[in-house]
Amino acid sequence: MIDAARLTSALHGRYAKIDVVERTGSTNADLRKALETGAADRTVLLAEEQTAGVGRRARSWSSPKGAGLYLSVALRPGVPFAVLGSLSVVAGLAVRAAAASVGVDAVLKWPNDVLVDGAKCAGILAEAVAGDDPSIVLGIGLNVLPLGDVQPGPGGLPATSLAERGATNTDRTDVAIALLTGFDDLERRWRLAGGDLTEAGLLGDYRAHCATLGQDVEVQLPDGTSLTGRAADIDAAGQLQVDVAGGQRHTVFAGDVVHVRPA
């Protein structure tokens, strides 16, 4: 079990409220409802098990009981609605740093995956909540302990966990403390910069750890079409820049990326 008392004590002053529950459908869905009824900025919910966890495009996220960190953070950051999506970049950096803190060298796959040796160990889902005070729920699923038989996700990526990649510490409370401490530090920088990744000093870090850059990719766009080209850059809003045949550069705000082969 995640030690709620130790978690709350270690993160005192960083978050308005931290709850740990035995079981829920989706921590993101729970906090979306909470925001609609007035939940405070920086409210955190962790679950030992999710029965209806979701990823991008409503895909299911495997959440075996007691094997990972399944958490969401509700935020009212006071930045323009248009830049809320760049929070996924901030979360990716926090997850990568948490993995590094236990000796696992992870990389980032745009827009929302964290990989170790080509296998997926974490997924991120940012969901904006419209209203007079723009808010966002950020969900993170991080595999800490071995998962057993889990089928590969979109793009054929196999699942892995920190434990399976040689983590020096697999105490989920410790990993949660590292993750939420790092996210708090990075999110405050992002917030003070008005959601601008460059101004926050985070864009260079993301570029340095993003395995998508320099790869030939196929981007499956939300409208059902696809785009093939070279992943060239990430901009200050966290969008992917793709160079296609003919020398054109396309900006991709959202989509599923398949790494075709290294450049």
Side-chain angles (χ1 to χ4, degrees):
M1 287 284 294
I2 294 170
D3 188 332
R6 183 155 64 90
L7 188 66
T8 301
S9 176
L11 297 169
H12 178 71
R14 292 181 179 268
Y15 294 95
K17 183 181 181 183
I18 301 173
D19 286 327
V20 180
V21 298
E22 180 73 21
R23 192 175 194 231
T24 192
S26 161
T27 56
N28 259 34
D30 292 347
L31 286 192
R32 281 202 314 272
K33 291 178 184 176
L35 278 172
E36 290 165 1
T37 56
D41 178 32
R42 307 177 83 75
T43 293
V44 181
L45 177 64
L46 301 94
E48 285 288 334
E49 179 182 14
Q50 285 189 127
T51 58
V54 295
R56 285 174 50 79
R57 300 173 80 171
R59 296 190 182 98
S60 63
W61 167 265
S62 179
S63 308
K65 183 176 181 179
L69 295 179
Y70 317 122
L71 67 91
S72 297
V73 185
L75 299 156
R76 301 181 186 274
V79 302
F81 187 84
V83 302
L84 287 176
S86 65
L87 196 58
S88 291
V89 166
V90 179
L93 288 170
V95 173
R96 194 210 67 81
S101 75
V102 294
V104 177
D105 186 17
V107 296
L108 305 169
K109 175 177 173 288
W110 190 92
N112 68 330
D113 293 337
V114 183
L115 311 181
V116 184
D117 297 331
K120 181 174 176 177
C121 72
I124 296 159
L125 179 64
E127 296 183 285
V129 180
D132 294 335
D133 176 22
S135 53
I136 188 166
V137 176
L138 183 79
I140 298 172
L142 172 60
N143 302 327
V144 179
L145 299 172
L147 301 175
D149 186 19
V150 175
Q151 294 300 309
L157 287 174
T160 192
S161 66
L162 298 180
E164 292 168 288
R165 300 296 165 169
T168 56
N169 182 359
T170 57
D171 181 300
R172 289 182 302 130
T173 304
D174 288 343
V175 178
I177 290 169
L179 173 57
L180 287 167
T181 298
F183 176 74
D184 171 60
D185 291 339
L186 296 174
E187 193 274 343
R188 288 181 190 276
R189 287 168 56 184
W190 172 85
R191 184 180 297 214
L192 285 171
D196 186 301
L197 295 170
T198 303
E199 181 132 353
L202 300 176
L203 186 56
D205 287 347
Y206 188 84
R207 286 170 171 156
H209 297 291
C210 182
T212 303
L213 293 180
Q215 297 236 22
D216 289 339
V217 297
E218 179 182 343
V219 185
Q220 297 159 359
L221 301 171
D223 64 3
T225 63
S226 63
L227 181 72
T228 301
R230 178 71 54 85
D233 202 1
I234 306 290
D235 69 14
Q239 300 173 123
L240 181 66
Q241 309 286 310
V242 179
D243 289 343
V244 301
Q248 293 180 314
R249 176 165 289 191
H250 289 258
T251 298
V252 180
F253 175 72
D256 291 323
V257 171
V258 176
H259 292 177
V260 178
R261 62 180 182 274

